[in-house]
Amino acid sequence: MKSNYLLIVFLMFSTLVFSQSYDIGGTVKEKSSGLPIPGVNVQVKNSTSGTSTDFDGNFTLKGLPPGSVVVFSFIGYKTFEYSVTGTNTNMSITLLEDSKVLDEVVVIGYGSQKKKEVTGAVSTVDSKTLEVLKPVRIEQALQGTVSGVNVTTQSGSPGAALDIRIRGIATNGDAKPLTIIDGYIGELGLLNPNDVETITVLKDAQAAIYGSAAANGVILVTTKMGKKNSKGKIVYNTYAGFQETSRTLPILNATEYALLLNERYANSGNVIPYTNVSGFGKGTNWQDKTLSKGVPIISHDLTFSGGSDKITYSVSGSHLDQEGIVGESKSGFLRNTARVSLGADVTEKLKLKTNVIYTYFNRRTLPENSNASVLLNAVNAPSNLNPYDSSGNFTVFPGGSLGNEMINPLAQIANSYNDYNFKQINGNFGLDYKFTPAFVLSSTIGFKTANSESKSFSPILDYGSGKVFNTTRSSVSQNAVNDNNYSFDLFATYTKTIAENHKLVGVVGNTIFKEYGNGLFATGYDVPNNSWDFADISLANGAPPAGTVPVSSYVYDERRLSYFGRLQYDYKGKYLLSAMLRRDASTKFGPGNKVGYFPSVTAGWVISDEGFFGESSIINFLKLRGSYGIVGNDAIPNNGYISQLTGEATYVFDGTLINGRASGQIPNPNLKWEEAKKFDVGVDMNLFDNKINIVVDYFIDTRADLLIPGIPVSGISGGQSPGASNPTINAGTVRNEGIEFAVNYSNRFSDDFNMSLGYNVTMLRNNVTYMGTPFIAGGSFGIGQQAPSRMQVGHSIGYFYGLKTNGIFQNQQEVNDAPSQVELGVAASPGDIRYVDVNGDGKISFDDRTDIGDPIPTATMGFNVQFNYKALDFSMYTFASLGNNMVRNYESVAPDANRLNYVLGRWTGEGTSNSVPRVTTAATTNNLFSDYFVEDASYVRIQNIQLGYSLNPNTIEKVGLSKLRLYAGVNNLYTFTKYKGFDPGASNGAPIGGGIDYGFYPIPRTYMLGLNINF
């Protein structure tokens, strides 16, 4: 019996011992200030249990088993581990500031480095910035946040492309940077911004590790992953908003229009069209009719993430639906994404990771950025015309003096039918095998498969007598495109420390990349019922017009084989050196030039670690760095070194004319890579207890052997025949030189208030130093005029080339005393523009055209501010562009077209105006391309302003939430500029011909209400 009692006591004691658990709690504070830190991650090591500190820095963890280790971590502070030995609910945990915030890891391509060790010009945008900016397309987050990067939009229409330029434009061809997403080549604009953890921009020779595709810079994107030993987390983000135009142009109302038209006709000796204007009033504001208000936009994003000690996961999905401020659903954009990211430690040596993204979007568009633009018609339509006639039909605009291109913009919107669907799945699978702690072998397979289908319908239309957009037969065009690529990377990393002070990191590997695809295009005629509902080639059974081939197709297959190596060395963390070499072989070039070599070297000196530097109370960190290297650009059309049967020809067979094929582009077997020689020297500095960070860079980017298409080489080899073209030749050099300066200030003033400020500026000078041809022209102005943009030695790429003006002729004597302008087409009269005799030959002709403007800004800058006060947070992001010019090309030259109200300050007699010429319907030279149409397009834009409120975590924890934040924001709040058009920052993206305003679709102002919830 006694033994039974002893057994019971032993079992009770054992149960008590093994079931014993501890509760801990307390406050986490900064060591330097003693202030509590909210949001610290408090995690039980090798467990999914954890929490985070509240606004007062307090935390509580219950039921911890003996021997538990609790890890306290927070960005900017060193991680602290605490071993639990008993219950303690009144702990005081102190975190040391991670001084230099320099142990932060920066992705550099095929590896990473601590920020302190980086020797190249590298900038990073993190997820916190993305959360504040709420960009529809992720490229927008780079504008104003990263020095040396300029982002321009091709249109404000939903889903429109954006152009990223890193340290200016150095090529006449494709100037977009290479984008690497989690190690594979991808497209930045297809990502859900909430999936992105960091965006890293490589601006100098550090990009040489990517060789032939890196001349325009490299953008490295790291997407969000789950964290080890973290409990499952659900994050839901949503916002809804409405959009409106950020600007309308001041157009003449009906009365002003009629009076001015009378003056036009009277000045040319014609009968005035309106003898009584008393009943005209203000008339129709066509912009108000065309530009909608309260246009909806809505976004949802849901993410599940977490991890154990061996597996991490992150699964997300998003939905964005945006209508356009012009045409609403007729220019709408819908995007859905889904992403799965997994990481697994298969064994202690073998790690697996995968990231797969699916993207679907649908986009509809309206005619824009041309003479067929809806907004061009809205701006130039007479305000005395009504949108609808007495029968409720769209008003038909008269032809003749109003122009055969101008039509009712509301009818144009209603008669626009198109649809574009895009589906893509891309991602990668990777393995890391650690043979030894020093030697790791990595392999990654990246892939992309994309399919798009588009359809457009042209109904039978009658916009009025003589209108160029009238159609007498209906037609439907359908296209299907399939694009694919895959890559295989295999590289080894070896890390070795010798004698404690010498650290070596070597990387060697190879990459196989292939892209291939096909496209099929077809047009059918005579659509049943002249209706979009029946717009399908299978139903359109009409014969094509004589001589028209209604189908076309293409197939392509391009490959690249690369080998690369990098050696990094540092001595005591003070002297840093990195050398890289990449060898690329590409099928885009001929047999003699398939291979290119791209070397680079970067170096750094951490001066603040030197003994002579001492312990400065002002400068906490100081690093000098420099780099030089050569990278390449192969972004040219495929098969330029050979001749293909892509031309058109007519042959005679048995006495009959037969349409057939002929040689297309003249071949050039000597084609080779463009080479970018990149030089950079920079300084990184932290001041005043690391509260201030300063980065300064001076750079020179010289792009040689530019791939210039269409250079005439022979008068007999068929370069001008139908479908043919002259060859692409390496025949140009462009130099970009500039300075970047960025300063950031961050300080925690109290436990209730902290603030951060950021300012960056980039000053740039662009110059063409060599060309194998006199010039290349591009762009268009007016109707039938010569191209207004040029690439030419001694000027910036894409500069504006036209006549220079010197005021307005005030009287006939001034006309008589000035060089004759008759060679321009007609003699000048008082009130006409006075042109400058640039070449001094005593007459004005087109030989007097000169450099009259530059679309490239001389300086771009961003200023950003964020602060938190208790539960409130506020942020504002601004961007400025200075010194860039824009061509005003959205005004019709038709005599009866409406005008902007600046014309009210026109010349009406001697002394009345020396800037705006007279109005007349007679022939003049006033509409020739000149600096009269070139404006200073400098601007300052408030890109984003946001105010948020977070509920107290102690309150929301009761309902299972760890975060609940409400916010209100405005994107594109206001633009300060003197430019007369819709948007001074818009561009069609062309290096030669950009900066010409054809009536850009304005970027909308968006008002948003949003919600962030963490479970």
Side-chain angles (χ1 to χ4, degrees):
M1 188 67 179
K2 185 176 180 180
S3 61
N4 289 339
Y5 282 124
L6 290 173
L7 179 60
I8 292 171
V9 171
F10 176 76
L11 290 173
M12 292 176 64
F13 178 76
S14 299
T15 302
L16 179 63
V17 170
F18 287 104
S19 64
Q20 186 175 11
S21 62
Y22 303 121
D23 299 339
I24 66 170
T27 305
V28 182
K29 300 179 180 180
E30 289 181 343
K31 179 170 179 144
S32 58
S33 66
L35 297 173
I37 310 174
V40 174
N41 186 40
V42 184
Q43 188 71 43
V44 180
K45 197 170 186 178
N46 298 325
S47 167
T48 58
S49 299
T51 185
S52 58
T53 58
D54 62 17
F55 283 107
D56 298 317
N58 298 322
F59 73 95
T60 300
L61 285 175
K62 295 182 178 181
L64 302 182
S68 297
V69 176
V70 180
V71 181
F72 297 82
S73 60
F74 191 67
I75 293 175
Y77 295 84
K78 292 183 178 179
T79 299
F80 175 77
E81 294 188 0
Y82 172 79
S83 297
V84 178
T85 56
T87 294
N88 186 351
T89 57
N90 194 28
M91 300 171 61
S92 180
I93 302 296
T94 301
L95 294 187
L96 294 172
E97 192 172 356
D98 192 350
S99 64
K100 316 190 176 187
V101 184
L102 299 172
D103 289 335
E104 182 181 323
V105 173
V106 176
V107 178
I108 58 170
Y110 300 104
S112 60
Q113 281 183 299
K114 289 182 179 180
K115 193 171 183 180
K116 176 181 178 179
E117 300 170 347
V118 172
T119 51
V122 178
S123 297
T124 302
V125 176
D126 60 20
S127 59
K128 290 185 177 180
T129 302
L130 297 173
E131 288 175 7
V132 171
L133 287 173
K134 290 291 182 293
V136 173
R137 290 176 61 108
I138 200 168
E139 301 100 312
Q140 296 165 323
L142 296 173
Q143 184 75 305
T145 60
V146 177
S147 62
V149 177
N150 191 19
V151 181
T152 58
T153 178
Q154 295 185 13
S155 167
S157 62
L162 288 92
D163 294 302
I164 302 175
R165 300 292 180 257
I166 298 176
R167 291 184 167 179
I169 300 174
T171 177
N172 57 293
D174 190 343
K176 68 182 179 182
L178 173 69
T179 300
I180 306 293
I181 303 172
D182 292 327
Y184 66 91
I185 296 176
E187 297 174 60
L188 200 60
L190 298 180
L191 288 174
N192 167 25
N194 283 327
D195 283 339
V196 175
E197 185 68 38
T198 61
I199 306 172
T200 302
V201 183
L202 307 182
K203 296 180 280 189
D204 67 345
Q206 187 98 36
I209 196 70
Y210 291 105
S212 64
N216 298 321
V218 177
I219 296 176
L220 304 175
V221 178
T222 302
T223 59
K224 293 177 180 177
M225 305 225 6
K227 293 180 172 55
K228 285 188 175 182
N229 300 312
S230 61
K231 61 181 181 180
K233 182 179 179 181
I234 302 174
V235 177
Y236 174 63
N237 300 303
T238 184
Y239 67 81
F242 62 90
Q243 309 163 92
E244 64 184 20
T245 183
S246 56
R247 195 174 195 187
T248 57
L249 307 190
I251 303 298
L252 300 180
N253 63 36
T255 302
E256 293 168 333
Y257 166 78
L259 290 171
L260 190 75
L261 198 63
N262 283 344
E263 184 178 326
R264 284 184 187 175
Y265 277 74
N267 284 343
S268 57
N270 295 323
V271 177
I272 63 173
Y274 302 110
T275 57
N276 184 0
V277 299
S278 60
F280 276 62
K282 292 187 176 181
T284 302
N285 186 323
W286 287 97
Q287 290 178 90
D288 284 351
K289 300 293 184 182
T290 305
L291 293 161
S292 302
K293 296 181 179 179
V295 179
I297 179 173
I298 189 167
S299 173
H300 299 282
D301 179 87
L302 184 64
T303 302
F304 302 86
S305 64
S308 65
D309 60 338
K310 293 187 179 296
I311 295 177
T312 62
Y313 65 90
S314 179
V315 181
S316 66
S318 73
H319 171 78
L320 173 75
D321 196 352
Q322 180 184 15
E323 291 191 357
I325 58 174
V326 180
E328 299 183 5
S329 62
K330 284 273 189 170
S331 62
F333 177 70
L334 182 146
R335 183 187 66 206
N336 294 322
T337 68
R339 186 178 71 97
V340 176
S341 175
L342 297 173
D345 293 350
V346 181
T347 68
E348 291 186 359
K349 293 187 175 183
L350 180 63
K351 294 183 179 180
L352 179 148
K353 55 187 176 182
T354 182
N355 186 53
V356 179
I357 302 174
Y358 172 77
T359 303
Y360 166 83
F361 72 79
N362 175 269
R363 186 175 184 230
R364 297 183 177 185
T365 57
L366 294 169
E368 55 178 298
N369 295 342
S370 68
N371 287 330
S373 167
V374 170
L375 284 176
L376 188 144
N377 285 319
V379 168
N380 291 282
S383 47
N384 66 337
L385 294 178
N386 293 317
Y388 305 96
D389 60 23
S390 57
S391 301
N393 299 316
F394 291 114
T395 298
V396 174
F397 283 13
S401 57
L402 189 57
N404 291 329
E405 296 83 18
M406 192 181 302
I407 58 178
N408 188 325
L410 300 184
Q412 190 177 17
I413 292 172
N415 292 319
S416 293
Y417 299 95
N418 64 79
D419 192 67
Y420 179 78
N421 288 285
F422 178 91
K423 303 179 186 72
Q424 175 176 291
I425 184 167
N426 62 331
N428 67 349
F429 297 91
L431 290 173
D432 292 338
Y433 189 81
K434 185 181 292 186
F435 287 92
T436 69
F439 181 69
V440 179
L441 184 66
S442 303
S443 65
T444 302
I445 296 176
F447 66 93
K448 179 193 86 170
T449 179
N451 293 281
S452 63
E453 297 178 354
S454 60
K455 180 167 68 173
S456 62
F457 169 55
S458 177
I460 298 173
L461 293 171
D462 183 6
Y463 286 115
S465 177
K467 297 295 183 180
V468 296
F469 301 113
N470 290 343
T471 55
T472 57
R473 292 185 69 185
S474 62
S475 62
V476 56
S477 296
Q478 292 178 251
N479 309 325
V481 174
N482 174 253
D483 294 310
N484 308 273
N485 67 43
Y486 68 80
S487 63
F488 176 72
D489 296 323
L490 180 66
F491 61 97
T493 304
Y494 181 75
T495 305
K496 180 69 173 178
T497 300
I498 303 173
E500 296 185 1
N501 295 324
H502 302 271
K503 181 181 177 183
L504 293 168
V505 180
V507 177
V508 62
N510 86 300
T511 295
I512 299 170
F513 179 75
K514 176 178 177 176
E515 55 183 348
Y516 57 97
N518 56 75
L520 179 62
F521 311 88
T523 300
Y525 296 88
D526 300 335
V527 174
N529 302 317
N530 194 36
S531 169
W532 170 252
D533 295 332
F534 296 89
D536 192 274
I537 288 179
S538 63
L539 300 176
N541 53 14
T548 299
V549 179
V551 294
S552 63
S553 65
Y554 69 81
V555 176
Y556 70 96
D557 184 346
E558 299 294 333
R559 285 149 286 160
R560 189 162 60 231
L561 174 62
S562 308
Y563 300 93
F564 58 87
R566 177 174 61 212
L567 181 63
Q568 296 164 271
Y569 167 78
D570 79 66
Y571 174 69
K572 290 186 177 181
K574 292 188 297 185
Y575 310 114
L576 313 167
L577 183 66
S578 177
M580 288 165 273
L581 177 65
R582 178 157 173 147
R583 176 193 184 274
D584 280 329
S586 171
T587 58
K588 282 194 174 184
F589 300 94
N593 294 294
K594 284 186 180 295
V595 177
Y597 293 89
F598 305 97
S600 75
V601 61
T602 66
W605 176 26
V606 183
I607 303 173
S608 55
D609 280 359
E610 294 288 0
F612 65 77
F613 194 82
E615 292 291 332
S616 172
S617 60
I618 297 176
I619 302 176
N620 310 117
F621 176 76
L622 178 62
K623 179 175 67 178
L624 177 67
R625 51 182 168 75
S627 66
Y628 179 79
I630 299 174
V631 287
N633 181 28
D634 64 349
I636 62 168
N638 300 324
N639 304 314
Y641 67 95
I642 60 175
S643 182
Q644 297 180 302
L645 294 176
T646 56
E648 302 173 11
T650 302
Y651 300 90
V652 179
F653 290 100
D654 296 329
T656 303
L657 295 177
I658 304 296
N659 292 326
R661 291 294 189 185
S663 296
Q665 177 176 286
I666 297 173
N668 176 17
N670 297 317
L671 269 185
K672 62 180 181 178
W673 320 88
E674 286 185 2
E675 286 190 346
K677 300 175 182 178
K678 294 178 179 283
F679 168 79
D680 182 280
V681 60
V683 175
D684 300 335
M685 186 186 311
N686 287 2
L687 307 173
F688 302 108
D689 294 327
N690 301 291
K691 292 181 175 66
I692 297 177
N693 168 253
I694 295 174
V695 179
V696 182
D697 281 273
Y698 168 73
F699 63 88
I700 300 174
D701 184 346
T702 303
R703 188 72 59 88
D705 293 324
L706 292 187
L707 296 162
I708 299 178
I711 294 182
V713 293
S714 171
I716 60 174
S717 56
Q720 304 301 317
S721 62
S725 62
N726 286 302
T728 296
I729 293 177
N730 296 96
T733 303
V734 174
R735 174 187 168 102
N736 278 312
E737 180 180 8
I739 295 175
E740 295 174 6
F741 173 81
V743 57
N744 292 282
Y745 169 77
S746 180
N747 192 19
R748 185 176 176 81
F749 295 94
S750 70
D751 56 347
D752 290 333
F753 180 69
N754 63 76
M755 172 185 285
S756 63
L757 303 171
Y759 171 77
N760 66 78
V761 60
T762 303
M763 292 174 283
L764 180 72
R765 183 172 62 184
N766 176 277
N767 187 39
V768 179
T769 59
Y770 165 75
M771 286 190 66
T773 188
F775 63 86
I776 301 175
S780 64
F781 179 83
I783 298 175
Q785 296 198 40
Q786 298 184 53
S789 296
R790 282 192 173 187
M791 177 181 176
Q792 189 173 6
V793 171
H795 304 269
S796 62
I797 191 169
Y799 81 98
F800 301 129
Y801 183 72
L803 296 167
K804 189 174 182 179
T805 65
N806 185 23
I808 306 296
F809 288 115
Q810 298 297 316
N811 52 54
Q812 188 59 45
Q813 187 60 47
E814 289 188 359
V815 175
N816 296 339
D817 294 341
S820 172
Q821 298 185 176
V822 70
E823 286 198 19
L824 297 177
V826 63
S829 297
D832 286 340
I833 293 175
R834 182 204 306 261
Y835 295 110
V836 176
D837 182 12
V838 172
N839 62 8
D841 63 356
K843 60 184 178 181
I844 305 297
S845 68
F846 288 107
D847 292 335
D848 289 303
R849 288 178 296 167
T850 186
D851 188 335
I852 58 173
D854 187 353
I856 301 174
T858 54
T860 56
M861 59 188 71
F863 175 71
N864 313 311
V865 57
Q866 297 182 58
F867 69 77
N868 292 75
Y869 178 71
K870 293 186 177 179
L872 288 173
D873 61 85
F874 172 82
S875 65
M876 181 177 70
Y877 284 75
T878 62
F879 176 78
S881 176
L882 306 177
N884 56 297
N885 298 118
M886 183 82 78
V887 174
R888 192 175 70 249
N889 190 34
Y890 50 79
E891 296 172 294
S892 173
V893 298
D896 287 8
N898 203 353
R899 302 288 298 276
L900 271 66
N901 68 359
Y902 74 84
V903 77
L904 296 177
R906 68 206 174 280
W907 185 92
T908 56
E910 187 169 351
T912 54
S913 175
N914 198 39
S915 57
V916 182
R918 66 189 176 117
V919 294
T920 179
T921 60
T924 72
T925 59
N926 294 335
N927 292 318
L928 295 177
F929 180 59
S930 69
D931 58 17
Y932 175 70
F933 297 99
V934 178
E935 296 185 26
D936 180 4
S938 301
Y939 68 94
V940 177
R941 174 171 293 157
I942 302 176
Q943 298 195 120
N944 173 278
I945 188 168
Q946 190 177 119
L947 180 65
Y949 179 82
S950 298
L951 274 66
N952 192 312
N954 293 332
T955 302
I956 61 177
E957 276 181 358
K958 299 175 183 178
V959 292
L961 302 179
S962 59
K963 177 181 179 181
L964 178 59
R965 176 177 177 265
L966 304 168
Y967 68 89
V970 185
N971 285 344
N972 193 30
L973 178 62
Y974 193 79
T975 301
F976 301 89
T977 184
K978 294 182 179 178
Y979 179 64
K980 296 185 181 71
F982 282 112
D983 184 5
S987 173
N988 63 11
I992 308 171
I996 301 175
D997 189 346
Y998 303 94
F1000 283 112
Y1001 190 127
I1003 301 173
R1005 178 183 296 124
T1006 306
Y1007 302 89
M1008 298 184 298
L1009 288 175
L1011 178 67
N1012 308 133
I1013 304 176
N1014 290 6
F1015 296 90

